[in-house]
Amino acid sequence: MDNEETAVGVIGLGIMGSAVAKNLLEQGFTVYGCDRSQRRREELSAAGGIAVTAPMDIPADTIICLLPNSSALEDIVSGKDGLTQSPRPAQVVIECSTLPLREKTRACTALASVDVTMLDCPLSGTGAQAVSRDLLVLASGNHDAYESRLSVLRGFANRQRYLGEFGKGTSMKMITNLLVQIHNVAAAEALVLGRKAGLDPAMMYEVLCDSAGTSRMLEVRGPLMVDRQYDPPAMKIEVFKKDMDLIGAFASELACPTPLFSASTQLYFAALSQGHGGQDTAAVHEVLWDLAMARDEIVLHEPES
């Protein structure tokens, strides 16, 4: 594939974006990549992609955005080198970032003014899962545009769900991430309890994955917890904090109680304060392990009366 119809632009070549780009290359797409980091652009070129320095320089009718924050989205849409500066009629922008819905809606409106369609398509899955295309696309927006880009979505994700009007994808992403956060802590809590009871961590992991108590987070992050090794991270705690903030704001806007989310949030904050911010979110296991061992240390060092 090398014609314009099979060309795809990927803006944001971080952990997720680079995996998406490489999978599309393997599926035969011509991939143009844009990122502020020269190193990331060079890595894409080495993998067979074509690096560009500005969004408006991508000669493709399909653009995939995987961005770190709202300011990056505003810049690639309305900045001096943004997509609205040199619009392509009938272009579709597949926005896969986890960002506030109001910012995505603003970008969608700006693109619509130059006849470019934006789809709200956040992804469910880790960076490690992205490498093997083990991702779920939570798609929302114009249904015809979604249908027309299914081959692209299938090029980097093995599952797609169309959820309705623009914004439903982001709402669903908040719900999935709430469960990711809670299930990750639940997996860590169970493994710490078992380890303290003298059970072999590797054996526990195998048995739990085969039990009614399993979860996707246990299956994905359990091995990191068993080995107590949290590098390289598939999702850094300091990055996931942005998602926690979004979930908290989402629930607050709806005046919806989220007691388990609130309780688990404290463990991620503790992990940040203890220097685990750059490690995988599985590092909440260390916070719980330290708490579990603290009581033993108090008892061991308790002075005799």
Side-chain angles (χ1 to χ4, degrees), residues 234-270:
M235 168 58 76
K236 297 179 181 179
I237 292 177
E238 62 193 17
V239 175
F240 189 67
K241 182 183 180 300
K242 177 199 71 175
D243 292 9
M244 293 193 298
D245 292 342
L246 289 173
I247 297 168
F250 180 68
S252 179
E253 288 172 6
L254 296 173
C256 183
T258 52
L260 294 180
F261 166 77
S262 298
S264 63
T265 294
Q266 301 309 309
L267 292 169
Y268 291 89
F269 285 159

Side-chain angles (χ1 to χ4, degrees), residues 1 4 11 30 39 53 61 65 68 101 117 136 157 167 181 193 210 217 222 261 270:
M1 298 182 189
E4 200 170 88
I11 302 178
T30 299
R39 175 182 59 80
T53 57
D61 288 335
C65 295
L101 181 55
T117 300
L136 170 63
Q181 174 172 326
L193 177 61
D210 198 36
M217 284 301 98
F261 166 77

Side-chain angles (χ1 to χ4, degrees), residues 111-189:
L111 289 169
S113 70
V114 292
D115 297 321
V116 174
T117 300
M118 173 181 275
L119 294 174
D120 171 37
C121 298
L123 307 177
S124 181
T126 66
Q129 289 175 277
V131 172
S132 59
R133 295 177 56 246
D134 184 18
L135 295 174
L136 170 63
V137 179
L138 303 169
S140 61
N142 184 284
H143 187 261
D144 290 340
Y146 165 76
E147 289 284 345
S148 72
R149 296 316 194 264
L150 265 175
S151 63
V152 175
L153 296 174
R154 289 169 178 157
F156 67 86
N158 62 7
R159 305 181 307 285
Q160 303 80 33
R161 292 295 298 269
Y162 179 74
L163 302 173
E165 66 186 23
F166 188 93
K168 296 297 185 183
T170 286
S171 293
M172 193 68 230
K173 174 67 171 178
M174 297 299 105
I175 306 307
T176 62
N177 272 5
L178 180 145
L179 285 177
V180 163
Q181 174 172 326
I182 294 169
H183 287 175
N184 185 51
V185 169
E189 184 174 297

Side-chain angles (χ1 to χ4, degrees), residues 174-219:
M174 297 299 105
I175 306 307
T176 62
N177 272 5
L178 180 145
L179 285 177
V180 163
Q181 174 172 326
I182 294 169
H183 287 175
N184 185 51
V185 169
E189 184 174 297
L191 290 171
V192 165
L193 177 61
R195 195 188 294 260
K196 227 191 157 186
L199 295 172
D200 176 71
M203 176 276 292
M204 269 197 296
Y205 172 72
E206 291 182 7
V207 173
L208 287 170
C209 285
D210 198 36
S211 75
T214 192
S215 70
R216 195 62 177 274
M217 284 301 98
L218 170 66
E219 293 165 7

